[in-house]
Amino acid sequence: MTSERFEQIAQEVMERLPAQFSERIDNVRIVIEEYPSEETLHQMHASKTTLLGLYQGIPLPHRNTWYGTSPTMPDTIFLYRRNIESLCRTEEDVVAKIYEVLLHEIGHYFGMTETEIRHAMRNYQ
């Protein structure tokens, strides 16, 4: 799959997120990288091929009245294209995996822990 097609799928997936999520997401950008950086791998204690996505920013529950009063860099959700593709056989599989990874990382944006996200995703699917 080309990187352009992967980006297009990621955009389409973002556009079809449930309104309960998409209407509350503010100041978040999606960045697609081939693989996680060495620095990210070190910080996350992960291997190059296992990390599918990552949220970096200030979770919504931790934003106070000061948030946005000066120029604020957007939070970032990283999608690691090669790692996602390695788990998929078809384009439909890629779409489903991107959706899953985005929901997971958006859970972090909303302040959820790994345990809470996994529980919510089991109930959501």
Side-chain angles (χ1 to χ4, degrees), residues 5 7-17 91 95:
R5 179 64 184 135
E7 289 177 23
Q8 181 183 15
I9 291 170
Q11 180 63 39
E12 291 168 359
V13 167
M14 277 298 290
E15 290 170 1
R16 72 178 179 96
L17 287 174
E91 186 170 299
V95 171

Side-chain angles (χ1 to χ4, degrees), residues 107-125:
H108 289 304
Y109 167 81
F110 286 115
M112 298 170 74
T113 66
E114 286 292 326
T115 303
E116 291 169 330
I117 291 169
R118 288 190 175 106
H119 178 74
M121 290 184 73
R122 275 193 305 272
N123 291 335
Y124 187 75
Q125 294 174 346

Side-chain angles (χ1 to χ4, degrees), residues 44-64:
M44 300 301 296
H45 306 286
S47 72
K48 181 179 180 179
T49 59
T50 58
L51 195 59
L52 304 180
L54 179 68
Y55 166 76
Q56 290 184 333
I58 301 171
L60 194 58
H62 299 167
R63 297 178 182 186
N64 292 322

Side-chain angles (χ1 to χ4, degrees), residues 76-120:
T76 304
I77 293 176
F78 292 93
L79 298 177
Y80 300 114
R81 181 171 82 92
R82 297 291 185 182
N83 294 347
I84 290 171
E85 289 178 341
S86 73
L87 299 174
C88 303
R89 292 185 176 192
T90 67
E91 186 170 299
E92 292 77 27
D93 291 344
V94 172
V95 171
K97 187 54 73 175
I98 289 173
Y99 190 78
E100 177 185 326
V101 173
L102 277 175
L103 282 180
H104 183 101
E105 301 311 329
I106 289 169
H108 289 304
Y109 167 81
F110 286 115
M112 298 170 74
T113 66
E114 286 292 326
T115 303
E116 291 169 330
I117 291 169
R118 288 190 175 106
H119 178 74

